[in-house]
């Protein structure tokens, strides 16, 4: 990538700060305060990607495998994930979310969407249009 201009560096800095502040505020809209942000993230990954091994979850969540093993154990103790033998490799397990986890995530999404929609109601039509256009680009950045 080419060297960024001063205006581009300012925009990158502004975007970073805004995304961090918005993310922090969204985290406060949690349904279940007993779940850590990391645990919620793992459940969200299982929703998006389906069942996975702890190693796959560790890679997707950018944590070390031993950390993921502990996270999975805590989620299992709370009844939010189940562990089953891997269909092709009996040395491994596959982690799946439970219906209880799906309900928590659905309520969390509903609550966060309502909060964000309330914020967005203060935008002008032009700002709202630009935000709708930017959403797929932000999603792409989040997946990179």
């Amino acid at each position: 990538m080419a060297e960024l201009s001063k205006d581009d560096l300012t925009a990158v800095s502004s975007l970073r700060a805004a995304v961090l502040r918005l993310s922090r505020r969204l985290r406060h809209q949690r349904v279940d305060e007993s779940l850590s942000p990391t645990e919620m993230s793992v459940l969200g990954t299982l929703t998006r990607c389906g069942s996975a091994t702890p190693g796959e979850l560790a890679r997707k969540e950018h944590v070390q495998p031993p950390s993921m093993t502990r996270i999975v154990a805590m989620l299992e103790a709370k009844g939010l994930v189940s562990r089953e033998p891997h269909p092709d490799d009996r040395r491994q397990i596959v982690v799946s979310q439970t219906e209880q986890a799906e309900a928590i995530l659905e309520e969390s999404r509903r609550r966060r969407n309502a909060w964000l929609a309330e914020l967005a109601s203060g935008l002008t039509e032009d700002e709202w249009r630009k935000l709708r256009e930017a959403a797929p680009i932000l999603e792409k950045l989040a997946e990179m």
Side-chain angles (χ1 to χ4, degrees), residues 103-132:
I104 288 170
L105 287 171
E106 180 58 37
E107 178 58 20
S108 179
R109 280 190 295 271
R110 186 203 61 72
R111 180 185 236 175
R112 291 174 190 205
N113 285 347
W115 177 82
L116 199 50
E118 178 65 28
L119 279 183
S121 70
L123 299 176
T124 66
E125 183 55 41
D126 187 51
E127 290 169 330
W128 183 230
R129 179 187 55 76
K130 289 175 183 175
L131 188 58
R132 284 192 308 266

Side-chain angles (χ1 to χ4, degrees), residues 9-125:
L9 286 172
T10 300
V12 165
S13 181
S14 179
L15 177 62
R16 176 196 47 77
V19 167
L20 285 173
R21 284 193 317 272
L22 187 58
S23 176
R24 195 174 309 119
R25 292 179 68 193
L26 273 168
R27 276 195 301 268
H28 289 292
Q29 302 301 312
R30 291 189 300 176
V31 170
D32 188 334
E33 293 291 327
S34 72
L35 292 174
S36 72
T38 301
E39 290 170 325
M40 287 293 290
S41 181
V42 169
L43 293 176
T45 295
L46 288 170
T47 296
R48 282 188 310 282
C49 303
S51 299
T53 67
E56 291 167 338
L57 285 171
R59 280 188 296 283
K60 289 176 182 178
E61 291 294 315
H62 305 285
V63 300
Q64 295 299 312
S67 296
M68 185 54 66
T69 299
R70 286 189 297 276
I71 294 165
V72 168
M74 287 188 290
L75 290 171
E76 184 178 32
K78 294 175 182 179
L80 300 175
V81 298
S82 62
R83 299 173 351 148
E84 302 293 329
H86 192 285
D88 300 325
D89 183 351
R90 295 292 178 190
R91 298 170 296 171
Q92 296 219 34
I93 62 161
V94 175
V95 179
S96 302
Q97 69 180 15
T98 64
E99 288 182 16
Q100 182 183 352
E102 290 175 26
I104 288 170
L105 287 171
E106 180 58 37
E107 178 58 20
S108 179
R109 280 190 295 271
R110 186 203 61 72
R111 180 185 236 175
R112 291 174 190 205
N113 285 347
W115 177 82
L116 199 50
E118 178 65 28
L119 279 183
S121 70
L123 299 176
T124 66
E125 183 55 41

